[in-house]
Amino acid sequence: MEQARPGIPFTETMRLDWLRLIRSENVGPATFSDLLRQYNTASAALEALPELAGRAGRKTLRIANQADAEAELERTHKKGARLVCLGESDYPPALRAADSPPPVLAVAGSGECLTKHAVAFVGSRNASLAGIKLTKQLAKETGAEGYSIVSGLARGIDAAAHEAALTTGTVAVFAGGIDHIYPRENERLAHAIVDQGGALITEMPFGWKPRAQDFPRRNRIVAGMALGLVVVEAARRSGSLISARLAAEAGRVVFAVPGSPLDPRSEGANHLIRNGAELITNSQHILDSLAPMKEMGQQTRYTLDETDRAEFQNQPTPSDEDVFVSALGHTPTDLDELIRHTGLAVGKVHLLVIQLELAGRLERHTGNRVSMI
């Protein structure tokens, strides 16, 4: 059984500062982390935001105020949920070790299922009866071995995985706010997840209605929470393959159930197998593959190292910005390559990225890549 890890002690003031910072304009998870390394606290980072954005040409920047943060916290509590910050003891361990994890999660339900090792399930919304039956078998047997089952509460494969793991622990990740269950047809399932010891989580603000562009963000959390991700019945161009790519990029094991080449719903899973995903037909395949990772224990807790913070003490000049911007284009480019190409100090480059993103001129991508907007 997993051992509980001590978390970072958070006061309510710190929690509100973290919430304000991540809800401020153009502050994403990666920039949030860089700001804490630079300024040590969210409170100090909030004070620095206008100046940082101004250096890159942004005159005004919307910064979440205290009243808005308090209102979101109150609405979250009234919904029976809570806010969990990165580094706290019930923040999902595997997710905390992922690339740019969400600093703040809204959580409804049990914290215990969030701290267990997890296996994610994704697949077709228009699943076949055979696909649903196999998903339930795999999820039930994997959950019985002590894993939390993670998915996105979509109809089809997602719902089947959640239903099969209700008694062993399952986590549903939302693309909208904690108060927006989507699709509505799975509202009863969402309540059953909480009632039977599972959890609902999201990084989105309370009241947020999910948009198409929010589902890849949800998929990133699904992939990041798990040691392995199982794909059952996925079309060649589906969100499930995006989840599989994100899982592979995060160093997770990608499993795929083979299917008939005559069924379009199996084209994506078969494609993954051809490109290196592990072929599985039963739960023992999953358990055997993940056993070495499980024995290694959970990931180390989130910290902000003083040496990381020291990198940011060298402030970039306007000429440094010119050099950096001239090396950028609209094609995502690896940040380490940009550092080597420009010859600029690491800390200067990271500060330039913060300033340009706050100004709305730069976009971050997976794999430590950036591009101009």
Side-chain angles (χ1 to χ4, degrees), residues 124-288:
S124 174
R125 288 173 172 80
N126 182 32
S128 69
L129 180 59
I132 290 175
K133 183 177 180 181
L134 179 59
T135 298
K136 288 185 175 181
Q137 179 182 329
L138 294 173
K140 181 178 181 179
E141 293 175 354
T142 304
E145 292 297 322
Y147 288 92
S148 286
I149 302 302
V150 181
S151 198
L153 201 69
R155 60 179 65 92
I157 297 302
D158 286 23
H162 289 308
E163 289 169 0
L166 284 173
T167 59
T168 58
T170 184
V171 180
V173 185
F174 287 9
I178 199 70
D179 57 323
H180 278 281
I181 298 174
Y182 181 87
R184 301 303 300 181
E185 66 194 66
N186 284 340
E187 185 170 352
R188 182 177 298 179
L189 175 58
H191 292 308
I193 289 172
V194 173
D195 292 342
Q196 298 193 47
L200 315 175
I201 71 170
T202 181
E203 67 173 317
M204 305 307 288
F206 192 94
W208 189 270
K209 295 182 179 180
R211 308 162 301 171
Q213 58 265 43
D214 296 324
F215 288 93
R217 296 181 64 171
R218 177 204 65 179
N219 295 347
R220 191 176 185 186
I221 296 177
V222 170
M225 283 187 64
L227 297 181
L229 179 138
V230 181
V231 180
V232 184
E233 290 191 345
R236 183 64 178 272
R237 298 182 181 274
S238 70
S240 299
L241 266 64
I242 295 175
S243 297
R245 175 178 58 80
L246 293 170
E249 289 176 351
R252 307 323 191 228
V253 183
V254 177
F255 304 99
V257 176
S260 169
L262 300 178
D263 188 345
R265 289 172 295 196
S266 295
E267 188 176 0
N270 290 341
H271 170 76
L272 289 173
I273 292 169
R274 288 196 303 273
N275 286 275
E278 292 196 23
L279 185 156
I280 61 166
T281 57
N282 59 61
S283 61
Q284 196 60 47
H285 292 157
I286 301 171
L287 299 173
D288 289 345

Side-chain angles (χ1 to χ4, degrees), residues 8 60 76 82 102 143 146 176 269 271 313 322:
I8 297 174
T60 59
T76 300
R82 62 193 185 282
H271 170 76
Q313 302 309 309
D322 291 340

Side-chain angles (χ1 to χ4, degrees), residues 2-6 89:
E2 298 173 353
Q3 294 182 352
R5 287 183 173 273
S89 58

